[in-house]
Amino acid sequence: MKKYNKIVLAYSGGLDTSIIIPWLKENYDNPEIIAVSGDVGQGTELDGLEEKAIKTGASKLYIADLKEEFINDYVYPTLKAGAKYEGDYLLGTAFARPIIAKKIVEIAKAEGADAICHGCTGKGNDQVRFELTIKAFAPEMDIIAPWRIWNIKSREEEIDYAEAHNVPLKINRETNYSKDKNLWHLSHEGLDLEDPANEPQYDKEGFLEMGVSPEAAPDKPEYVTIHFEKGVPTHLNGKKLCGTEMVAALNEIGGRNGVGLADIVENRLVGMKSRGVYETPGGSILYRAHEVLETLCLDRDTQHYKQLVAAQFAELVYFGKWFTPLREALSAFVDKTQETVTGDVKLKLYKGNIINAGVTSPYSLYNEEIATFDEDHVYDQADSAGFINLFGLPLKVKALMEKNLKK
């Protein structure tokens, strides 16, 4: 294999990246390995990471605090777009990868590294997300993807390798779900979830980490009021919060009320379908609140067109195309639509449900006098006859033509 003196590794301390350090040392003539972790809200997963990285062969570990940037510059722009991949997935892993990969490139350049390595599998989406970002900021940098070249074929074999090389692991063979956690969400894949016929074990101890199942939620509903300024949530129940505080607080509230669980069979970028269970309690609340506010503040044509943009935006994020001209252009469009998306949304949370409980905005386009079913003095119902005649003229002309042809 090619000789490298210094390799920067995207390091999470999970199964994949834990064994990659000794594997790189074995297969690339003992290069220096610099591990880099992006803190996007993994919490306790980062505990003891430096000791573990160095013990398994890294020369040092960088832990970059990216949480506030992650929420403000990646999560909120996606929220404002209303982007959900295939209608359900709130993109928790997808928009966390570009910010981490960008930071890894910065450190690799500062360290004078010869290559960047990641632990993404050849079946997954993350390999694309990491590598497109690396190409955007370091087009000449070599990329090493062990899953595409080594002889290890399964997570079982990874565990065997780890045990043989004395790599400490926090998992065992029975609870070896593949998980990804950040401030926005937690994903679960593998084991019994690989069969879509199996119901997720929400009530199994240790499965859910961000909340409880709807059945275990309180019997009394809980209300939250979220204030938005130009599409960005700024206040929760009257208290001003920064991005990380907002998401963390709503995660706690939503989690205890059993909201934000999604069981999805999705179409991966590489072409296969995969099944995942996602916990996104705070994110689900924010998406619902934002959607409710937009129904009040956006005109019909903008609202309908924005729904098309949301689907395209979600696909770009899912496919790892964050740093592309199209995504940036769509964000510019979205920001324009959000100029009047300001107001308060009240929601009722009850056993997994998020229920609209009232919305107000100084930019509301809802006019009660026009919309009322009672008598009004601003809408002449007789005007609708002429409108329908003109609106339906193409249908009438076509029908007359077909009638004449049948004579």
Side-chain angles (χ1 to χ4, degrees):
M1 292 186 178
K2 186 175 179 179
K3 170 68 176 177
Y4 294 110
N5 294 316
K6 187 181 294 187
I7 299 172
V8 168
L9 169 66
Y11 185 73
S12 68
L15 177 58
D16 295 326
T17 56
S18 293
I19 67 169
I20 282 175
I21 294 176
W23 184 87
L24 288 172
K25 304 283 279 187
E26 285 182 352
N27 290 274
Y28 288 93
D29 195 21
N30 197 33
E32 179 183 359
I33 308 298
I34 298 172
V36 179
S37 294
D39 182 1
V40 287
Q42 300 94 312
T44 58
E45 290 184 7
L46 298 174
D47 293 348
L49 213 58
E50 181 176 16
E51 179 183 357
K52 181 178 180 180
I54 293 174
K55 183 178 180 180
T56 51
S59 63
K60 66 177 76 170
L61 170 70
Y62 288 93
I63 298 180
D65 186 351
L66 305 174
K67 294 189 289 296
E68 197 67 31
E69 181 185 354
F70 171 52
I71 298 299
N72 292 329
D73 296 348
Y74 295 80
V75 174
Y76 281 173
T78 307
L79 168 68
K80 290 191 291 183
K84 303 177 184 178
Y85 183 67
E86 298 186 337
D88 288 308
Y89 175 42
L90 300 187
L91 298 162
T93 298
F95 50 33
R97 296 314 186 221
I99 184 175
I100 294 172
K102 182 183 178 184
K103 176 55 67 172
I104 289 169
V105 169
E106 291 175 6
I107 292 173
K109 288 182 175 180
E111 286 281 352
D114 307 306
I116 292 174
C117 178
H118 65 74
C120 309
T121 73
K123 288 184 176 181
N125 303 304
D126 281 346
Q127 59 181 334
V128 181
R129 297 165 183 160
F130 270 105
E131 293 187 31
L132 289 190
T133 300
I134 295 169
K135 292 178 186 300
F137 293 100
E140 306 299 327
M141 184 72 68
D142 282 358
I143 299 171
I144 303 171
W147 266 106
R148 300 204 291 257
I149 55 178
W150 64 15
N151 295 322
I152 298 172
K153 302 301 181 185
S154 68
R155 289 177 69 81
E156 284 290 322
E157 291 184 10
E158 284 187 288
I159 294 174
D160 291 339
Y161 185 95
E163 292 174 348
H165 291 75
N166 298 314
V167 175
L169 300 175
K170 293 182 180 180
I171 62 173
N172 58 53
R173 296 177 190 271
E174 288 71 38
T175 61
N176 186 22
Y177 284 108
S178 177
K179 296 187 179 186
D180 177 73
K181 183 178 182 180
N182 58 46
L183 186 59
W184 185 251
H185 91 152
L186 174 65
S187 65
H188 309 256
E189 293 179 317
L191 298 181
D192 55 303
L193 298 179
E194 291 189 345
D195 184 350
N198 292 330
E199 180 181 3
Q201 301 180 55
Y202 293 132
D203 292 320
K204 183 178 179 181
E205 184 178 356
F207 182 79
L208 295 179
E209 297 182 24
M210 298 182 72
V212 300
S213 68
E215 293 88 346
D219 293 330
K220 182 180 179 180
E222 182 171 357
Y223 288 86
V224 293
T225 299
I226 302 170
H227 178 75
F228 288 83
E229 289 285 342
K230 295 185 177 182
V232 175
T234 59
H235 293 71
L236 174 61
N237 296 330
K239 182 179 180 181
K240 187 174 183 179
L241 300 176
C242 69
T244 55
E245 291 170 337
M246 176 69 70
V247 175
L250 286 173
N251 278 339
E252 183 177 346
I253 295 170
R256 65 174 173 250
N257 285 283
V259 305
L261 298 177
D263 180 3
I264 305 170
V265 175
E266 67 201 55
N267 290 292
R268 284 184 178 175
L269 170 58
V270 294
M272 70 184 71
K273 291 184 181 291
S274 67
R275 196 268 189 100
V277 170
Y278 299 96
E279 300 180 56
T280 322
S284 297
I285 295 170
L286 286 174
Y287 262 78
R288 180 60 178 274
H290 184 260
E291 290 166 359
V292 169
L293 185 58
E294 283 193 328
T295 66
L296 210 63
C297 300
L298 297 186
D299 65 277
R300 180 191 64 195
D301 290 350
T302 300
Q303 185 177 353
H304 288 183
Y305 193 78
K306 186 171 178 289
Q307 290 169 352
L308 302 177
V309 170
Q312 179 67 70
F313 196 105
E315 189 168 277
L316 287 172
V317 176
Y318 189 87
F319 288 177
K321 295 183 177 182
W322 185 270
F323 298 108
T324 60
L326 179 55
R327 200 282 306 165
E328 293 172 358
L330 292 184
S331 283
F333 165 79
V334 167
D335 286 343
K336 180 65 179 177
T337 70
Q338 300 299 289
E339 289 180 353
T340 59
V341 183
T342 294
D344 293 280
V345 182
K346 186 178 182 181
L347 299 173
K348 179 167 67 175
L349 312 178
Y350 181 66
K351 289 190 174 295
N353 295 290
I354 306 173
I355 304 164
N356 183 16
V359 55
T360 61
S361 170
Y363 300 101
S364 174
L365 298 175
Y366 180 85
N367 188 315
E368 187 174 353
E369 189 174 3
I370 293 176
T372 181
F373 284 96
D374 294 329
E375 182 181 358
D376 68 80
H377 303 285
V378 296
Y379 184 93
D380 188 344
Q381 299 196 29
D383 291 343
S384 62
F387 163 72
I388 294 171
N389 286 336
L390 293 177
F391 193 66
L393 185 60
L395 287 173
K396 183 176 180 179
V397 170
K398 180 176 181 293
L400 289 171
M401 177 271 292
E402 292 173 344
K403 182 179 180 181
N404 289 332
L405 288 177
K406 292 178 181 177
K407 289 182 179 180

